[in-house]
Amino acid sequence: MTIKSSKLIQNVRYEIRGTLAKRAHELELKGYEIISLNIGNPGLYGFRTPESMRLAMIENLESSEAYCGQKGIFPAREAVVMQQQERGIKGINAEHVFIGNGVSELIDLTLRALLNPGDEVLIPSPDYPLWSAATSLNGGKPVYYPCPKELNHHPDINILASLVNKNTRAIVLINPNNPTGAVYSKETLLAVAEIARKNNLIILSDEIYDQMVYPGESFVPMATICQDVLCATFSGLSKVYRACGYRVGWVSFSGEIIKGKGLLDSMDLLAALRLCSNVPGQWAVQTALGGSQSIKKLCSTNGRLFNTRKVITNLVNKSEYLNYIEPSGAMYAYISIDERAFPGIDDQDFALRLLEDEHVLIAPGSSFNVPDKNYFRITLLPEEDIIYRVFKKINKLLNKMLS
Ligand SMILES: Cc1ncc(COP(=O)(O)O)c(C=O)c1O
C-alpha cells in the first residue's frame, strides 16, 4: 500500500516550477543548453544585490546565531514602518509588521490566520499562483475576478463587486502585477477599497514589485488610501533589491487596525510556531530601504529593464501573431498568440514544443489561473541578445505550426 498525501494538495498547482521546468532540467542533464525565461529570479541573469546590503548582512553575522523574536528583528521592522510612514501611511508601528522567509511564507501565514473552511478569497485572474494555492491549502476557496486585456489587465470592478457574498473574507491585489505588468490607478484602488469597506473585507496587497515602474507610470501603495479598511501590504527583498536567495519579506498591517487585533494575535502565534525567519538576511532590510534605490536606474530610460522591455515591444509589434499590453511595471511580459491564426491553440502544448524543439522554457498563461489558452509569460531579465534569439525561435515554431 502506498502512503497517500493530503487531499488538499490535489487542487494545488505551481506550474512555474512544474512539469515543464522538470523536463527542462532533464534536457539540461542530457547536455542541451536551455534558455529559461520562466521564473523571475534576477540573480540568474547577472543582476546583483546592492553591495551595501551584502555588507550589512556580513557585518551582523555574529549577531545572527540565535533565534530572534517571531515577528523579526526590530531594525528591520522599524525600517518597514519608516518606509510606510514616508508614503503617508498613518498609525503604523513595529508591532504591526512581521518579517518572514520571503513574501511566500507570509502569504501562507496570513491566509492560515484568516481563513475558515469555505471562506472565499477574491483573487485576480491572471494571478501569481501562490495566492490560489495558499488559499486552497488553508481551506479557503479562490474566486477569480477578471483583469482582462480589454481593460489593459486592470481589475473589472463591476465583476469584482458582484462576486462578493457572505463567505467572502478578503480581496487580493497584486500591484504592480505579475504576470501582466499592470500598475493600478488611484481610481481603481479607491473602488476596490470601497468594496472592501462596504463588505467588511481585508485587503491583501502584494506589492513585491513596488518600485519597479517604467517612465510615465506611478505606483500608489494601497495602504495610502485604506484609512477605514484593514490592509495588509506585502513586500520584500527578492525583486526590487534582487536578493531572492536571502529569503526576506514582510507584511505590514495598517488602516482600520483595530479590526485586525484578533488576526494579528493569530499571526503572532503562527509566527511563533515557526520560531523566527532567517536572521542574517533581515540585517539587510534597513540598508535596503534607506538611501538610494538602485532599481530606479534599471527601470528608467536606457536602464537594463527598460531596454529589454523596449526590445520586446518592438519584437511583439513586428510579429504577425503576437500581441501584448506593454508592462507598466514589474519584470514580465504577458504575451498572447493570435487565436484567429491558431484556432484551438493550447498554451501548455505550445510551451512544451518550444522547449523540446527550440530549448526555450516559458511559463504558459494557464499557470496563472486564467481560462484563456493562448498566453505565455516571459521575464524581462535576460540581456537583449537573448530576447532576440528567443523571439526568433518563437516565430520559427509559430511558422512551423502553420505549415
Ligand atoms: C507577486 C509575487 N508575490 C510574491 C512572490 C514571492 O516572493 P518571495 O521571494 O518574497 O517569496 C513573488 C515571486 O515571484 C511574486 O511574483
Side-chain angles (χ1 to χ4, degrees):
M1 280 250 280
T2 55
I3 307 286
K4 290 194 180 122
S5 67
S6 162
K7 284 190 186 136
L8 285 173
I9 310 276
Q10 280 166 9
N11 295 328
V12 172
R13 291 188 312 129
Y14 193 73
E15 198 45 56
I16 301 168
R17 286 185 183 233
T19 333
L20 283 166
K22 284 188 189 124
R23 178 66 188 141
H25 186 58
E26 276 169 21
L27 290 170
E28 273 172 343
L29 290 179
K30 284 185 181 161
Y32 293 105
E33 192 197 323
I34 306 294
I35 305 179
S36 297
L37 302 182
N38 61 320
I39 188 163
N41 192 352
L44 282 187
Y45 301 91
F47 287 90
R48 296 298 311 270
T49 302
E51 194 181 22
S52 54
M53 286 172 59
R54 272 203 303 285
L55 290 176
M57 187 165 67
I58 291 164
E59 292 225 337
N60 285 288
L61 269 181
E62 239 182 72
S63 321
S64 305
E65 290 169 8
Y67 292 130
C68 68
Q70 62 262 31
K71 281 188 165 151
I73 62 169
F74 183 75
R77 287 186 289 130
E78 193 56 21
V80 173
V81 169
M82 283 168 75
Q83 187 191 51
Q84 294 292 73
Q85 281 173 344
E86 264 164 38
R87 291 171 167 180
I89 296 153
K90 298 191 182 86
I92 179 171
N93 67 50
E95 284 306 301
H96 305 144
V97 179
F98 292 80
I99 310 281
N101 294 301
V103 166
S104 304
E105 184 191 39
L106 294 166
I107 290 175
D108 183 45
L109 212 90
T110 308
L111 289 169
R112 198 155 5 133
L114 179 72
L115 296 178
N116 284 306
D119 283 351
E120 297 186 2
V121 179
L122 293 168
I123 296 178
S125 169
D127 74 340
Y128 175 64
L130 174 61
W131 280 104
S132 298
T135 297
S136 307
L137 282 170
N138 290 297
K141 181 178 164 205
V143 174
Y144 296 103
Y145 64 87
C147 299
K149 192 175 181 181
E150 298 70 43
L151 296 179
N152 288 341
H153 295 301
H154 287 229
D156 188 320
I157 295 295
N158 292 332
I159 298 187
L160 175 60
S162 74
L163 292 170
V164 177
N165 65 37
K166 64 178 182 0
N167 297 322
T168 311
R169 301 293 313 286
I171 303 176
V172 174
L173 283 173
I174 303 171
N175 180 39
N177 190 269
N178 174 12
T180 65
V183 177
Y184 301 155
S185 67
K186 191 168 180 185
E187 290 67 41
T188 298
L189 298 179
L190 281 167
V192 175
E194 183 55 16
I195 296 170
R197 195 189 58 75
K198 265 195 190 155
N199 297 286
N200 194 31
L201 310 176
I202 177 172
I203 290 183
L204 307 173
S205 192
D206 182 341
E207 299 180 1
I208 194 164
Y209 300 99
D210 61 2
Q211 294 177 67
M212 280 195 177
V213 281
Y214 298 102
E217 305 292 340
S218 56
F219 160 73
V220 180
M222 188 58 177
T224 57
I225 56 170
C226 281
Q227 309 300 344
D228 49 3
V229 172
L230 183 61
C231 178
T233 303
F234 298 78
S235 196
L237 296 185
S238 289
K239 312 294 175 171
V240 168
Y241 304 97
R242 289 92 68 203
C244 290
Y246 286 18
R247 306 309 300 128
V248 178
W250 50 87
V251 55
S252 59
F253 289 83
S254 60
E256 205 166 16
I257 203 81
I258 191 104
K259 270 194 183 168
K261 168 123 189 21
L263 180 67
L264 261 75
D265 288 347
S266 303
M267 290 279 300
D268 197 51
L269 174 65
L270 292 174
L273 287 175
R274 60 82 160 108
L275 301 172
C276 71
S277 72
N278 160 43
V279 179
Q282 293 188 52
W283 290 108
V285 174
Q286 196 177 22
T287 311
L289 298 191
S292 81
Q293 301 292 303
S294 51
I295 190 68
K296 294 213 165 108
K297 198 165 162 223
L298 293 169
C299 294
S300 57
T301 309
N302 290 329
R304 183 163 152 191
L305 290 170
F306 174 91
N307 283 345
T308 319
R309 184 185 74 142
K310 194 161 111 191
V311 168
I312 294 177
T313 300
N314 286 338
L315 290 166
V316 169
N317 287 346
K318 258 200 219 154
S319 162
E320 244 181 283
Y321 309 118
L322 302 177
N323 202 314
Y324 90 148
I325 307 290
E326 187 175 62
S328 305
M331 50 189 210
Y332 307 96
Y334 187 60
I335 300 172
S336 63
I337 301 171
D338 189 348
E339 278 183 302
R340 285 163 306 182
F342 298 89
I345 186 160
D346 181 283
D347 57 349
Q348 295 277 350
D349 288 350
F350 174 74
L352 185 62
R353 270 190 85 173
L354 192 65
L355 178 61
E356 298 287 351
D357 297 4
E358 302 297 334
H359 301 144
V360 173
L361 178 59
I362 55 172
S366 52
S367 319
F368 307 100
N369 294 301
V370 283
D372 320 276
K373 296 273 183 218
N374 63 319
Y375 281 82
F376 63 90
R377 186 200 76 174
I378 57 173
T379 78
L380 265 54
L381 294 169
E383 299 276 7
E384 290 170 36
D385 62 315
I386 297 185
I387 297 290
Y388 281 111
R389 267 167 63 202
V390 164
F391 272 77
K392 233 181 181 173
K393 286 166 180 282
I394 289 174
N395 286 324
K396 185 172 157 204
L397 176 61
L398 288 173
N399 285 322
K400 200 155 81 180
M401 284 163 66
L402 281 178
S403 61

